[in-house]
Amino acid sequence: MFHDSIRPRRLRTSDGLRRMVRETRLSPESLIWPIFVAEGQGIYEEIPSLPGQYHYSPDQLYRMVERARAHGVSRVILFGLPKEKDEIGSGAWAEDGIVQQGIRKIKELAPEMYVITDVCMCEYTSHGHCGILCGCDVDNDQTIVRLAQIAVSHAAAGADMVAPSDMMDGRVAAIRGALDQNGFTGVPIMSYAAKYASSFYGPFRDAAGSAPSFGDRRSYQMDWHNSREAIRECALDVQEGADIMMIKPAMSYLDLVYQCKQRFELPVAAYAVSGEYAMIKAAAKAGLIDEYGVMCESAVSIFRAGADILITYYACELADAIRKGDIG
């Protein structure tokens, strides 16, 4: 038996009513679209492992800008694909590096677009690791010096925000200090605060050419068995001056999104990574799921867990869904 006067279904009786009482609301302004900028000219190539996503040379970025504007997406995060790599990843902080070129081109084409840059070295090192090697290990303290140099070079090129993804200890403090010392006190840091050594990164590593040539990244990216350690990492980044904390990946780590939202006062971002996107695409192509429905449902779950910001390859499609009211 149930109490006749208590009927939760009353608030589900019409589409208009369901929209009015929704607990989780999304906005296109909360979406960030990852963009891959490739060194060269005339490059506009679909990424096989990420259907619907492209490599753009700087002269082709107008295509990305047109697509973003058409869907109402105004925030991007840039990843660079250089032609040349070396042991220390020197192309990452070069004044004419590929990300620096990309920033300047986007700002020329679309001054209103908010440009965030990934600060890491894995796309630029010949060995594919996220820093300077000492033997077969990444030297933490040498690496953070270079990461700070990369962040300053991005800010000098016009980046609105920098996002260190390397998971070195102390890198947020080093970057904050370098930005401030070089007159970029207004450039915020979105820290990959809890970045796990995940199996969901495969398509990205293919797209960015950033797979390590030996070993793995488990000595610096987090063990996916641990959650208390992630809270500690986030707390350290808060102390060091991060402005936004990010959890990566999103789907399998919603418990961390929730915990960070409850514990810290900073905005929380989540990255729906390449493997999450590719799985939805592959299952939809096989006729196993409704791509649009799963895209919407998975995005809402991330915001429902507490995310304020979502980095997603579905940014354009989700912005359309929000405007249509399907998930807004």
Side-chain angles (χ1 to χ4, degrees):
M1 288 291 294
F2 63 91
H3 198 295
D4 248 1
S5 63
I6 301 174
R7 292 179 178 264
R9 286 184 58 191
R10 288 193 190 101
L11 295 182
R12 306 174 198 150
T13 54
S14 71
D15 184 60
L17 181 55
R18 289 190 296 272
R19 293 188 186 192
M20 185 174 73
V21 300
R22 277 180 180 165
E23 299 172 20
T24 305
R25 298 184 182 274
L26 284 63
S27 165
E29 284 72 32
S30 63
L31 304 174
I32 299 172
W33 186 17
I35 300 297
F36 296 91
V37 188
E39 194 166 3
Q41 289 190 331
I43 300 170
Y44 175 62
E45 299 170 351
E46 188 171 25
I47 301 168
S49 58
L50 293 171
Q53 307 302 312
Y54 293 81
H55 288 138
Y56 304 88
S57 55
D59 64 306
Q60 297 296 307
L61 279 168
Y62 73 90
R63 297 177 184 272
M64 180 278 293
V65 169
E66 289 174 354
R67 181 176 171 188
R69 282 175 168 163
H71 295 276
V73 172
S74 58
R75 291 153 180 81
V76 295
I77 182 167
L78 301 188
F79 299 89
L81 283 76
K83 280 185 177 179
E84 303 293 334
K85 305 185 181 193
D86 59 32
E87 282 288 307
I88 62 171
S90 60
W93 62 83
E95 184 178 349
D96 63 345
I98 185 54
V99 164
Q100 292 82 349
Q101 292 179 45
I103 297 164
R104 288 191 286 267
K105 190 63 178 180
I106 292 171
K107 287 299 183 180
E108 174 191 323
L109 295 166
E112 78 284 358
M113 187 164 283
Y114 196 87
V115 179
I116 306 162
T117 58
D118 178 76
V119 175
C120 196
M121 300 174 69
C122 58
E123 294 107 318
Y124 301 88
T125 55
S126 53
H127 46 74
H129 279 282
C130 298
I132 307 296
L133 290 183
C134 180
C136 291
D137 192 25
V138 174
D139 186 303
N140 190 95
D141 295 356
Q142 284 192 60
T143 297
I144 63 174
V145 172
R146 294 303 190 183
L147 293 169
Q149 193 174 355
I150 295 166
V152 169
S153 74
H154 289 180
D160 297 295
M161 178 185 289
V162 295
S165 63
D166 55 284
M167 288 300 288
M168 298 297 122
D169 294 336
R171 90 272 204 210
V172 171
I175 290 170
R176 183 73 273 156
L179 288 171
D180 291 352
Q181 289 166 18
N182 285 274
F184 300 112
T185 56
V187 174
I189 298 172
M190 176 169 64
S191 171
Y192 289 63
K195 180 180 179 180
Y196 283 85
S198 173
S199 298
F200 285 97
Y201 301 149
F204 175 92
R205 290 177 180 173
D206 175 63
S210 62
S213 61
F214 68 89
D216 54 45
R217 294 176 177 149
R218 287 183 291 180
S219 70
Y220 41 103
Q221 294 179 1
M222 282 192 53
D223 183 345
W224 38 263
H225 296 81
N226 299 349
S227 61
R228 291 196 304 271
E229 183 186 5
I231 297 301
R232 184 184 183 205
E233 288 278 11
C234 292
L236 287 169
D237 283 2
V238 172
Q239 293 170 19
E240 291 179 23
D243 299 285
I244 298 171
M245 62 180 61
M246 184 206 300
I247 308 300
K248 181 182 180 182
M251 182 175 66
S252 295
Y253 301 88
L254 295 182
D255 58 321
L256 269 303
V257 174
Y258 176 80
Q259 289 184 60
C260 287
K261 184 66 171 181
Q262 299 302 309
R263 289 172 180 256
F264 303 106
E265 296 180 357
L266 295 186
V268 177
Y271 196 146
V273 299
S274 59
E276 299 172 57
Y277 175 84
M279 285 193 302
I280 295 174
K281 284 286 187 181
K285 185 176 181 180
L288 300 174
I289 61 170
D290 167 21
E291 180 180 359
Y292 185 81
V294 171
M295 173 194 75
C296 292
E297 187 175 343
S298 60
V300 168
S301 75
I302 296 165
F303 284 98
R304 193 179 65 242
D308 302 290
I309 299 162
L310 176 59
I311 303 169
T312 172
Y313 299 95
Y314 275 121
C316 293
E317 294 86 349
L318 285 169
D320 290 344
I322 292 168
R323 278 196 304 277
K324 287 164 59 179
D326 291 342
I327 58 173

